[in-house]
Amino acid sequence: MGAKVMATRLDTRETANLIGSDKVDGTAVYGADREKIGSIERVMIDKISGQVAYAVLSFGGFLGMGEDYYPMPWSMLDYDTDLGGYRVNLTKNQLENAPKYSESQGWNWSRENDLRVYQYYRADPYWE
Amino acid sequence: MGAKVMATRLDTRETANLIGSDKVDGTAVYGADREKIGSIERVMIDKISGQVAYAVLSFGGFLGMGEDYYPMPWSMLDYDTDLGGYRVNLTKNQLENAPKYSESQGWNWSRENDLRVYQYYRADPYWE
């Protein structure tokens, strides 16, 4: 009991139920085959509701050049304690066909694109 | 129209409705009197639902020593474009009496403390 209380008190960035944004950002992401496919660039938060709308996965490139960015529903990410990162249940092929953008191209965070992403991953809309 | 589309495309960290975690973290927070009261240390995200449970405001101290941390409901923060930061409708006195923790002391992210914080700010629970 004493040890449990202490552990809870000391880690201010993560508990059983909550995780800090600064601990999510930069965390590695692995695919269905447990190969690393990228890392979390940031999460996008709905300003009004405070709901995480997207986890943005960055992949490839060098020092931010030529990277691809994949906006994904938060529910796609499962934390894998063995891997020490998030695992998404996607094959390489599924990821290649997923909605993405490059730094130069950018992304239009419109409802049309919301639908495109959420339908691709068959996730429940964050906006309802 | 052309300019609007371009602006939407180029800013990948913020839109009218969404904001990136890396843009929230570190942002200044001002009180009801428009005096700076601290900055956002991080947001705490509910792992299952993806709902932001808390914005943690850090205040005072030097290089992380002696700082106080105030977990607040996300809905307390209003972005003020004039100030270039978040404004919370709290007086100094209200903030002094708000639930807080120090780095050494830590915080127990329990349902009891959830209730304590959310009741203090009279906000709707994030967990319901």
Side-chain angles (χ1 to χ4, degrees):
Chain A
M1 178 66 191
K4 186 163 180 266
V5 169
M6 212 169 111
T8 315
R9 287 222 176 119
L10 288 179
D11 195 345
T12 52
R13 295 203 305 161
E14 186 173 3
T15 70
N17 303 315
L18 303 178
I19 187 158
S21 47
D22 51 343
K23 196 157 181 178
V24 174
D25 294 355
T27 298
V29 179
Y30 301 84
D33 59 1
R34 303 171 69 88
E35 291 287 311
K36 188 176 171 184
I37 54 175
S39 57
I40 304 290
E41 184 75 6
R42 67 179 61 88
V43 298
M44 296 296 287
I45 300 165
D46 185 292
K47 290 181 186 178
I48 302 296
S49 69
Q51 176 68 37
V52 171
Y54 292 102
V56 181
L57 184 147
S58 63
F59 173 66
F62 179 66
L63 297 178
M65 308 273 290
E67 272 180 316
D68 283 326
Y69 298 91
Y70 296 79
M72 288 181 185
W74 174 259
S75 58
M76 289 297 295
L77 304 173
D78 284 314
Y79 194 80
D80 187 314
T81 47
D82 287 346
L83 292 166
Y86 291 103
R87 204 155 46 77
V88 296
N89 198 17
L90 290 175
T91 62
K92 275 217 174 67
N93 191 263
Q94 284 173 316
L95 189 69
E96 274 163 14
N97 293 308
K100 65 174 173 181
Y101 62 93
S102 64
E103 190 72 50
S104 59
Q105 182 187 14
W107 180 258
N108 189 353
W109 300 98
S110 62
R111 188 51 31 97
E112 291 91 327
N113 273 335
D114 282 342
L115 280 166
R116 194 155 71 92
V117 173
Y118 272 73
Q119 282 172 0
Y120 187 84
Y121 293 110
R122 297 177 194 182
D124 291 331
Y126 73 87
W127 59 91
E128 275 172 11
Chain B
M1 178 64 191
K4 186 164 180 264
V5 169
M6 212 169 112
T8 315
R9 286 221 177 120
L10 288 180
D11 195 345
T12 52
R13 295 203 305 162
E14 186 174 5
T15 70
N17 303 315
L18 303 178
I19 188 158
S21 47
D22 51 344
K23 198 158 180 178
V24 174
D25 294 356
T27 299
V29 178
Y30 300 84
D33 59 1
R34 304 171 68 88
E35 291 286 311
K36 187 175 171 184
I37 55 175
S39 57
I40 304 290
E41 183 75 7
R42 66 178 63 88
V43 297
M44 296 296 287
I45 300 165
D46 185 293
K47 289 182 186 177
I48 301 296
S49 69
Q51 176 67 37
V52 171
Y54 292 102
V56 180
L57 183 148
S58 63
F59 173 67
F62 179 66
L63 298 176
M65 307 274 291
E67 270 179 317
D68 283 326
Y69 297 90
Y70 296 79
M72 286 182 185
W74 174 258
S75 58
M76 288 299 294
L77 304 173
D78 283 314
Y79 194 80
D80 187 314
T81 47
D82 287 346
L83 292 166
Y86 291 103
R87 204 156 46 78
V88 296
N89 198 18
L90 291 174
T91 63
K92 275 217 174 69
N93 192 263
Q94 284 173 315
L95 189 69
E96 274 163 14
N97 293 308
K100 66 175 173 181
Y101 61 95
S102 64
E103 189 71 50
S104 59
Q105 183 187 12
W107 180 258
N108 190 352
W109 299 98
S110 61
R111 187 53 28 98
E112 291 91 326
N113 274 335
D114 283 342
L115 279 167
R116 195 155 70 92
V117 173
Y118 273 72
Q119 282 172 1
Y120 187 83
Y121 293 110
R122 296 178 195 181
D124 290 332
Y126 74 88
W127 59 91
E128 274 171 12

